[in-house]
Amino acid sequence: MVHEPNNWGRFGPDDQRGTLNLLTPDVVLAALRAAATGEVLSLAMPIRGATSSPAPTTVPHLRGRPLPQHFMSVDGGDYAAGARPIGEGLCVADDALVVTPHGTTTHMDALCHMWSGDQVYNGHPAARVRSYGATRCGIEQVGGVVARGVLFDVPRRLGLDHLPADFRIPPEVLEDIATPRPGDVAVIRTGWPLVWERSKEDYWSGQPGLSADAGRWLAAHDVSVVACDNAAIGGLNARGLADESLADDLHLLLLHRHGIHLIEMLWLEDLGAAGRTEFVFVAAPLRIEGGTGSPITPLAIL
Amino acid sequence: MVHEPNNWGRFGPDDQRGTLNLLTPDVVLAALRAAATGEVLSLAMPIRGATSSPAPTTVPHLRGRPLPQHFMSVDGGDYAAGARPIGEGLCVADDALVVTPHGTTTHMDALCHMWSGDQVYNGHPAARVRSYGATRCGIEQVGGVVARGVLFDVPRRLGLDHLPADFRIPPEVLEDIATPRPGDVAVIRTGWPLVWERSKEDYWSGQPGLSADAGRWLAAHDVSVVACDNAAIGGLNARGLADESLADDLHLLLLHRHGIHLIEMLWLEDLGAAGRTEFVFVAAPLRIEGGTGSPITPLAIL
Amino acid sequence: MVHEPNNWGRFGPDDQRGTLNLLTPDVVLAALRAAATGEVLSLAMPIRGATSSPAPTTVPHLRGRPLPQHFMSVDGGDYAAGARPIGEGLCVADDALVVTPHGTTTHMDALCHMWSGDQVYNGHPAARVRSYGATRCGIEQVGGVVARGVLFDVPRRLGLDHLPADFRIPPEVLEDIATPRPGDVAVIRTGWPLVWERSKEDYWSGQPGLSADAGRWLAAHDVSVVACDNAAIGGLNARGLADESLADDLHLLLLHRHGIHLIEMLWLEDLGAAGRTEFVFVAAPLRIEGGTGSPITPLAIL
Amino acid sequence: MVHEPNNWGRFGPDDQRGTLNLLTPDVVLAALRAAATGEVLSLAMPIRGATSSPAPTTVPHLRGRPLPQHFMSVDGGDYAAGARPIGEGLCVADDALVVTPHGTTTHMDALCHMWSGDQVYNGHPAARVRSYGATRCGIEQVGGVVARGVLFDVPRRLGLDHLPADFRIPPEVLEDIATPRPGDVAVIRTGWPLVWERSKEDYWSGQPGLSADAGRWLAAHDVSVVACDNAAIGGLNARGLADESLADDLHLLLLHRHGIHLIEMLWLEDLGAAGRTEFVFVAAPLRIEGGTGSPITPLAIL
């Protein structure tokens, strides 16, 4: 299965692009026209990584995943305790982050993140995804994403605060809201992060998400990225698992078969409240060579 | 020392802003007009974190700093060795990153990163920068940066491949190249990362950077961010240290006294080759609560 | 509060000992006579650190603590996937461990781990316990522990499988079992790890432990170490906290005021089944300079 | 290649032993008789893991390896800066360690650490050594090591402070010093860590080590462990590599073909100065399930 280059970007059989945008310059220029007010919103959840406090467990995440850890290697407390400043009196705070992005925070999936059989996206051998990192389809291949974003605020459309756990968004609801253009970033709001505030156990009782047909509809419209505030684009059952068949699995459908990048665990409440359907979407993963994904802070320029 | 809000953004005495852009909407809208061709370039160096290979030491970094570590927690090799796919045949690659951004990769400094005395920027107590993270001036306060970027390609101006290690850029050279507007991101190219290719030892023999007067000139022009391809905005001596007096230290001058964010260790060779002085600059640090900085992938939209 | 050297070891006002045993040679020689059969048992719980599987959550730990993470940086899967061996055909597996020992696995506490006021054990300033590590009373001060171990198998004495969560062991029960000699390691079995198998929620519903009077009784008998299969030597309430007053807190009483090292989260089921009250106890923390503790594998030589 | 059980321990075709000693009880009892004075020495190098200071680079290690990182997640500095103690006034220091043991600190190799072909020790498939850890021959299989230690102080025998970098110890020199019994731990001193003090570059210019014939001699004497103060048991050339043929590679010879565990990067200067050839050797790796090795603090009971 070797993919033809799409109409909006450069991913094709020789998809080693390095430091360029996921989309072509003309798509970028068209996307920038979606900016109207200049308001910029972060779509990222906080990374709350203190390690001796219960703080890390206060941010939505998938149960059992290793949470981010944030350490200060030198801080203001050290100077308060008598540490000597550098030179004439310079004080410094420094820190380190340990992060497993999938399932723990806002992140983007690389094309090597999921597959079936022995090939990742576009026929690249899965055997090149090894302990030293993926030499095919790593996250560093995504230079950046500057594109038009289209918000599909599904619960708002349905008059709900958030979708119920077992809701699988059908394509018709998306169709009612907007029609994406090739290269657009489809931003799907489920409202599920709101459930975390109420109860972790409820948050973990399942998750709403796209139906396979909705995924096919988005792929047919040639979007470049599907971004969602849930943890897996598709829904999760009560055991925290995606339970579609291989043909219907949203990751395989979008990431593996169509080369559509995924961004998960967004914070979309501020964007939803802003009431804008179109905007400029910008995201740039860390250039982790061979990475299966990256934590990111996507921006919406309204 | 309590700062008045500047003319381009919202940072003032109550600078807890959360998820908004560093700059105001009108500055953003004006900045977007700097896009001409729609070409998007990544300004980040690779994060090469494999841990049993010599790879990590092949990317410019400050000597002695803990290099990024990148681990695959499951990968294609496991399936090649017989690991059972999930369900009907789903394969997954997952990974983790351990990163200390300062001095090791492209990153943005938080306002809590450096100070003198017992107050960080804007009079916030340094004693609030503790092991659990900074509760004042952490990197999560920067929602995002969408601004006009102005490239000061100093070696090109001077007819050099890169500046020599002991070169301290005077304000006159910057002035010759461009005049930044309030809120602009001043992007300073020294070309120093090119030296790494030639010799690590040469790279570590010192670094060129801004003079204190150039820092004052940029602050006087009310830029929002100073971004550079060297490791410390100012220069480093042969021992790898900034050796200005406290009054002239570039971090104190820009970050501590003026609240101007810093971005360091950029990769500017592609941008320099593009020959454009003005462009849209976008960067969004990870929303690490209480972080002293964040690894980032800044983008230039040409 | 400056402590007099005890009768079994060298810890005194100048307790920087480095690479020597916690106990004096004559105590060691006497301890070795406790070996009878030569059977050696590990008293450590497994460190189950795989990060994409649910495995880490299958070992007893305190809720909310950062679990160990174990990464392979190169493994047999890479060779199965085609990685080239070194030289003529050498294959290697390499790995890394991220571990926060307190509350997550079998570990030993350093004397700097807990205190009240502004001094750690023996009058050393708590302000010397900083981000770079403790320059007083760090775990590297414990070269090793070779001592006589005395097992207080409390549930067996009381005819129980394990103590109930709210049981606080009174000194009389210890007294009934054995009388420790100066320098002995008092090994206290509660059986609480057995509860984990039945139910995590039960395990987290509280923990049995020593009463303050039992702690005083052990201190009066001049033991060198108190080692227990619970997480905090003392008991924990339903919220997972030690709720004694400062005077009665087991950590302050033993570690802070008497300089008695603590070892927690032992696996004592095999030792309990062996039915031996006296044996040789050996443990050697990693020599982490300035560490607040260390994961360890204590051995019992029967 | 399936190994017969040896005469001193239990490793055989079904070598899943869990929590027991590497050696049989009678060997342990005999070993304990080697204790004479009761002096206990640590044989571990310090783990100096502070991350913003140059400290970590001051301990001998192989060039390019990821050094240990040690973080305080809460410390005395936080309280000095105003952090609130717990409850009535309890202060706590807590920390985390990130460690890749091979090449960076005193550690023990698991039997899965090196192999040739597609089988690790004793015919176990190398394909079972995967990202989740080794399900065959992991370090957790070594419950503990309580054995007789025999010191081969080679430089002392030859009237040198330390062996030169290109010295490969012949069996005759070992034979001159002592004859190990089955199950003994052969402790080989080269003195090479002394070179670090003089110059890192000298330390990295190569390393002395055992010759293949000396390895064969030790294997023929059926030792259980070979422990050395160099980094690779065998020597290293100027590029930091073992350059023997597969037949002569010390790791393959001892670990892979004979199931003799290896302990590397010991600190033997104190033991050497003590002048004792026989003693009790005790070491217990962390029970890391599936680990390729473990940092350890071996003890010598004199």
Side-chain angles (χ1 to χ4, degrees):
Chain A
M1 179 170 54
V2 175
H3 292 268
E4 291 303 305
N6 50 42
N7 295 316
W8 45 262
R10 302 163 201 228
F11 261 111
D14 303 314
D15 50 0
Q16 303 293 326
R17 305 164 314 118
T19 60
L20 296 174
N21 197 52
L22 193 66
L23 296 120
T24 52
D26 53 320
V27 173
V28 170
L29 281 185
L32 292 179
R33 288 196 283 272
T37 66
E39 189 82 5
V40 179
L41 295 177
S42 162
L43 307 183
M45 291 202 300
I47 296 178
R48 198 167 286 161
T51 48
S52 289
S53 79
T57 59
T58 62
V59 177
H61 63 270
L62 290 183
R63 182 151 38 188
R65 296 288 300 164
L67 294 170
Q69 301 189 34
H70 178 230
F71 299 104
M72 300 293 258
S73 43
V74 59
D75 57 48
D78 298 316
Y79 297 106
R84 201 162 20 183
I86 305 166
E88 292 180 50
L90 198 61
C91 298
V92 61
D94 190 5
D95 56 358
L97 180 69
V98 182
V99 61
T100 289
H102 303 287
T104 70
T105 192
T106 309
H107 67 280
M108 184 170 189
D109 288 352
L111 293 183
C112 67
H113 174 48
M114 278 198 178
W115 69 94
S116 187
D118 53 12
Q119 295 180 344
V120 297
Y121 171 71
N122 221 355
H124 292 292
R128 300 307 289 268
V129 182
R130 297 181 194 153
S131 295
Y132 282 11
T135 55
R136 295 294 182 279
C137 298
I139 194 65
E140 81 282 9
Q141 299 297 335
V142 181
V145 181
V146 179
R148 196 175 70 137
V150 178
L151 176 64
F152 294 89
D153 190 337
V154 182
R156 170 168 298 206
R157 185 69 175 191
L158 302 178
L160 301 167
D161 284 340
H162 62 80
L163 301 180
D166 60 356
F167 194 86
R168 300 297 176 265
I169 303 166
E172 294 74 19
V173 178
L174 299 183
E175 207 160 10
D176 273 1
I177 298 174
T179 304
R181 292 198 299 244
D184 278 356
V185 174
V187 179
I188 317 289
R189 180 173 170 262
T190 68
W192 197 245
L194 297 175
V195 174
W196 181 268
E197 293 300 305
R198 197 171 70 213
S199 152
K200 284 184 201 188
E201 293 304 321
D202 284 1
Y203 182 85
W204 287 332
S205 68
Q207 290 207 6
L210 289 181
S211 66
D213 281 342
R216 287 187 190 98
W217 184 84
L218 289 167
H221 282 82
D222 206 11
V223 300
S224 60
V225 175
V226 175
C228 193
D229 59 355
N230 70 5
I233 307 295
L236 297 178
N237 64 19
R239 289 164 50 229
L241 302 173
D243 55 11
E244 294 91 355
S245 66
L246 282 193
D248 282 356
D249 181 273
L250 271 296
H251 274 74
L252 292 184
L253 199 158
L254 296 170
L255 196 73
H256 181 48
R257 292 202 282 274
H258 284 93
I260 296 171
H261 280 85
L262 306 178
I263 299 179
E264 294 161 327
M265 303 189 75
L266 290 166
W267 177 253
L268 296 177
E269 298 312 305
D270 299 323
L271 182 62
R276 280 275 296 281
T277 297
E278 295 179 25
F279 49 91
V280 187
F281 183 97
V282 186
L286 300 181
R287 202 174 153 192
I288 306 165
E289 285 194 349
T292 73
S294 169
I296 49 168
T297 295
L299 300 177
I301 311 175
L302 304 185
Chain B
M1 181 170 53
V2 175
H3 292 270
E4 292 302 305
N6 50 42
N7 295 317
W8 45 262
R10 304 164 199 225
F11 261 111
D14 303 315
D15 51 0
Q16 303 293 326
R17 306 164 315 119
T19 60
L20 296 174
N21 197 50
L22 192 66
L23 296 121
T24 52
D26 53 319
V27 173
V28 170
L29 281 185
L32 292 180
R33 288 195 284 271
T37 65
E39 189 82 4
V40 179
L41 295 176
S42 161
L43 308 183
M45 291 202 300
I47 296 178
R48 198 166 287 160
T51 49
S52 289
S53 80
T57 59
T58 62
V59 178
H61 63 270
L62 290 183
R63 183 152 35 188
R65 297 288 301 165
L67 294 170
Q69 300 189 35
H70 177 229
F71 299 104
M72 299 294 259
S73 43
V74 59
D75 57 49
D78 298 316
Y79 297 107
R84 203 162 20 185
I86 305 166
E88 292 181 50
L90 198 61
C91 298
V92 62
D94 190 5
D95 56 359
L97 180 69
V98 182
V99 61
T100 289
H102 303 287
T104 70
T105 193
T106 308
H107 67 280
M108 184 171 188
D109 288 351
L111 294 183
C112 68
H113 174 47
M114 278 198 179
W115 69 93
S116 188
D118 53 12
Q119 295 180 343
V120 298
Y121 170 71
N122 221 356
H124 292 293
R128 301 305 291 267
V129 181
R130 298 181 194 154
S131 295
Y132 282 11
T135 55
R136 296 294 183 278
C137 298
I139 195 65
E140 82 281 10
Q141 299 297 334
V142 181
V145 182
V146 179
R148 196 176 69 139
V150 178
L151 175 65
F152 294 89
D153 190 337
V154 183
R156 170 168 299 205
R157 185 70 175 190
L158 301 178
L160 301 167
D161 284 340
H162 61 80
L163 300 180
D166 60 357
F167 194 86
R168 300 297 175 263
I169 303 166
E172 293 74 19
V173 177
L174 300 184
E175 208 161 9
D176 274 1
I177 297 174
T179 304
R181 292 199 298 245
D184 278 356
V185 174
V187 179
I188 317 290
R189 183 175 168 259
T190 67
W192 197 245
L194 297 175
V195 174
W196 180 268
E197 293 299 305
R198 197 171 68 214
S199 153
K200 284 184 200 188
E201 293 305 322
D202 285 0
Y203 182 84
W204 288 330
S205 68
Q207 291 206 6
L210 289 181
S211 66
D213 281 342
R216 287 187 191 97
W217 184 84
L218 289 167
H221 281 82
D222 205 10
V223 300
S224 60
V225 175
V226 176
C228 192
D229 60 355
N230 70 6
I233 307 295
L236 297 178
N237 65 19
R239 289 163 50 228
L241 302 174
D243 55 11
E244 293 92 354
S245 65
L246 283 191
D248 282 357
D249 181 273
L250 270 296
H251 274 74
L252 292 184
L253 200 159
L254 296 170
L255 196 72
H256 181 48
R257 292 203 283 273
H258 284 93
I260 296 172
H261 280 85
L262 305 179
I263 299 179
E264 294 161 328
M265 304 188 75
L266 290 166
W267 177 254
L268 297 177
E269 298 313 305
D270 299 322
L271 181 62
R276 279 275 296 281
T277 296
E278 294 178 26
F279 50 91
V280 186
F281 183 98
V282 186
L286 300 181
R287 202 174 153 192
I288 306 165
E289 285 195 350
T292 73
S294 170
I296 50 168
T297 295
L299 300 176
I301 310 176
L302 304 185
Chain C
M1 180 170 55
V2 175
H3 292 269
E4 290 303 304
N6 49 44
N7 296 316
W8 45 263
R10 304 165 199 224
F11 262 111
D14 303 314
D15 50 0
Q16 303 294 325
R17 307 164 313 119
T19 59
L20 297 174
N21 197 51
L22 193 65
L23 297 120
T24 51
D26 54 319
V27 173
V28 171
L29 280 185
L32 292 180
R33 289 195 282 272
T37 66
E39 189 83 4
V40 179
L41 295 177
S42 161
L43 308 183
M45 290 202 302
I47 296 178
R48 197 167 286 161
T51 50
S52 290
S53 79
T57 59
T58 61
V59 178
H61 62 271
L62 289 183
R63 184 154 32 191
R65 297 288 301 164
L67 294 171
Q69 300 189 34
H70 178 230
F71 299 104
M72 298 293 258
S73 43
V74 58
D75 57 49
D78 298 316
Y79 297 106
R84 203 162 18 185
I86 305 166
E88 291 180 49
L90 198 61
C91 298
V92 61
D94 190 5
D95 56 358
L97 181 68
V98 183
V99 61
T100 288
H102 303 287
T104 70
T105 193
T106 309
H107 68 280
M108 183 173 190
D109 289 351
L111 293 184
C112 69
H113 174 46
M114 279 198 179
W115 69 95
S116 188
D118 52 13
Q119 295 180 343
V120 298
Y121 170 70
N122 220 356
H124 291 293
R128 301 306 289 268
V129 182
R130 299 182 193 152
S131 295
Y132 282 10
T135 54
R136 295 292 182 280
C137 298
I139 194 66
E140 82 280 10
Q141 299 298 334
V142 181
V145 181
V146 179
R148 196 175 69 140
V150 177
L151 176 64
F152 294 89
D153 190 337
V154 183
R156 168 168 300 205
R157 185 70 177 192
L158 302 177
L160 301 167
D161 284 338
H162 61 81
L163 301 180
D166 60 357
F167 194 87
R168 300 297 175 263
I169 303 166
E172 293 74 19
V173 178
L174 301 184
E175 209 161 9
D176 273 2
I177 299 174
T179 304
R181 293 198 298 244
D184 278 357
V185 174
V187 179
I188 317 290
R189 182 173 169 260
T190 68
W192 197 245
L194 296 175
V195 173
W196 180 268
E197 293 300 303
R198 196 171 70 212
S199 153
K200 284 184 202 188
E201 294 304 323
D202 285 1
Y203 182 84
W204 288 331
S205 69
Q207 290 206 8
L210 288 182
S211 66
D213 281 341
R216 286 187 192 98
W217 183 84
L218 289 167
H221 282 82
D222 205 11
V223 299
S224 60
V225 175
V226 175
C228 191
D229 60 356
N230 70 5
I233 306 296
L236 298 177
N237 65 19
R239 289 163 51 228
L241 302 173
D243 54 11
E244 294 91 355
S245 66
L246 283 191
D248 281 357
D249 181 273
L250 271 296
H251 274 74
L252 291 184
L253 200 158
L254 295 169
L255 196 71
H256 181 48
R257 292 202 283 274
H258 284 94
I260 296 171
H261 280 85
L262 306 178
I263 299 179
E264 294 160 328
M265 304 188 76
L266 290 166
W267 177 254
L268 296 178
E269 298 312 306
D270 298 324
L271 182 62
R276 279 275 296 281
T277 297
E278 294 178 27
F279 50 91
V280 185
F281 183 97
V282 185
L286 300 182
R287 202 174 152 192
I288 306 166
E289 286 194 350
T292 73
S294 170
I296 49 167
T297 295
L299 300 176
I301 310 175
L302 304 184
Chain D
M1 180 171 55
V2 175
H3 291 269
E4 291 303 305
N6 49 43
N7 296 317
W8 45 262
R10 303 164 201 227
F11 261 111
D14 302 314
D15 50 2
Q16 303 293 326
R17 307 164 313 118
T19 58
L20 296 174
N21 197 51
L22 193 65
L23 297 120
T24 51
D26 53 319
V27 173
V28 170
L29 281 185
L32 293 179
R33 288 195 283 272
T37 66
E39 188 83 4
V40 179
L41 294 176
S42 161
L43 308 183
M45 290 203 300
I47 296 178
R48 196 167 288 160
T51 50
S52 290
S53 80
T57 59
T58 61
V59 178
H61 62 271
L62 290 183
R63 182 151 37 189
R65 296 288 301 165
L67 294 171
Q69 300 188 35
H70 177 230
F71 299 104
M72 299 293 258
S73 43
V74 59
D75 57 49
D78 298 317
Y79 298 106
R84 202 161 21 182
I86 305 166
E88 291 180 50
L90 198 60
C91 298
V92 62
D94 190 5
D95 56 358
L97 180 69
V98 182
V99 61
T100 288
H102 303 288
T104 70
T105 193
T106 308
H107 67 281
M108 183 171 189
D109 288 352
L111 293 183
C112 68
H113 174 48
M114 279 198 178
W115 69 94
S116 188
D118 53 11
Q119 295 180 343
V120 298
Y121 170 72
N122 221 356
H124 291 293
R128 300 308 289 267
V129 182
R130 298 180 194 155
S131 296
Y132 283 10
T135 55
R136 295 293 182 281
C137 297
I139 194 66
E140 83 280 11
Q141 299 298 334
V142 181
V145 181
V146 179
R148 194 176 71 139
V150 178
L151 175 64
F152 294 89
D153 190 336
V154 183
R156 168 169 300 206
R157 186 69 177 190
L158 302 178
L160 300 167
D161 283 340
H162 61 82
L163 301 180
D166 60 356
F167 194 86
R168 300 297 176 264
I169 302 166
E172 293 75 19
V173 178
L174 300 183
E175 208 160 10
D176 273 1
I177 298 174
T179 304
R181 293 199 298 244
D184 278 356
V185 174
V187 179
I188 316 290
R189 182 173 169 260
T190 68
W192 197 245
L194 296 175
V195 174
W196 180 269
E197 293 300 304
R198 196 171 70 213
S199 153
K200 284 184 200 187
E201 294 305 322
D202 285 1
Y203 182 84
W204 288 331
S205 69
Q207 290 206 7
L210 288 181
S211 67
D213 281 341
R216 286 187 191 97
W217 184 85
L218 289 167
H221 281 82
D222 205 11
V223 299
S224 60
V225 175
V226 176
C228 192
D229 59 356
N230 70 5
I233 306 295
L236 298 178
N237 64 20
R239 289 164 50 228
L241 302 173
D243 54 11
E244 293 91 356
S245 66
L246 282 192
D248 281 356
D249 181 273
L250 270 297
H251 274 73
L252 292 184
L253 200 158
L254 296 169
L255 196 71
H256 181 49
R257 291 202 284 274
H258 284 94
I260 296 171
H261 280 84
L262 306 179
I263 299 179
E264 294 160 328
M265 304 187 75
L266 290 166
W267 178 254
L268 296 178
E269 298 312 306
D270 298 323
L271 181 62
R276 279 275 296 281
T277 297
E278 294 179 26
F279 50 92
V280 187
F281 183 97
V282 186
L286 301 181
R287 203 174 151 192
I288 306 166
E289 285 194 350
T292 73
S294 170
I296 49 168
T297 294
L299 300 177
I301 310 175
L302 305 184

